[in-house]
Amino acid sequence: MLILGSFGASCLLVFAYPQSPFAQPRNVVGGHFIATATGLAFFTVFGAEWWSMALAVGTAVALMLVTRTAHPPAGSNPLIVALAGAGWDFLFTPTLFGSLILVSVALVYNNFGQGRRYPSYWW
């Protein structure tokens, strides 16, 4: 399955506000990937403790800011990972493949019609 709860909020950004910095492909794919990887690392080492989930979210946000891949919906990914008890395969399906599909659909949708352009930048 390619379902990740935070993809709903990502859809709002890429389809309703495609010019937003948070809606650019680097941010969507990179943000989800980094946040999920961070959540998986914390969950693997510390388990689903309240404090480890809090640290995972904070670390994910910091890493997204440092790598210039901030994507607000991805901030919930560490919580989703821990609460679902996800394994490392979750990093690729649904996270990576789902975010790539989301960006692909956004490319078609947001460039259909005159005067529309998505993305504003790739990297």
Side-chain angles (χ1 to χ4, degrees):
M1 292 195 47
L2 294 175
I3 297 173
L4 178 61
S6 55
F7 282 168
S10 295
C11 286
L12 175 70
L13 286 173
V14 300
F15 296 117
Y17 302 100
Q19 300 309 312
S20 167
F22 300 132
Q24 302 311 303
R26 173 183 73 205
N27 298 71
V28 176
V29 176
H32 278 295
F33 190 84
I34 287 170
T36 298
T38 303
L40 286 165
F42 273 79
F43 177 63
T44 300
V45 175
F46 302 112
E49 302 294 331
W50 68 266
W51 54 269
S52 66
M53 288 189 277
L55 287 172
V57 169
T59 303
V61 169
L63 289 172
M64 284 190 283
L65 291 174
V66 167
T67 59
R68 298 184 322 119
T69 58
H71 185 64
S76 65
N77 289 9
L79 298 176
I80 293 169
V81 164
L83 294 174
W88 282 94
D89 58 328
F90 196 86
L91 186 59
F92 298 101
T93 304
T95 304
L96 182 60
F97 295 134
S99 61
L100 288 171
I101 290 169
L102 177 59
V103 167
S104 298
V105 173
L107 283 167
V108 173
Y109 176 81
N110 288 319
N111 288 308
F112 186 73
Q114 192 173 7
R116 297 181 66 147
R117 187 174 151 258
Y118 176 81
S120 297
Y121 54 86
W122 286 94
W123 300 102

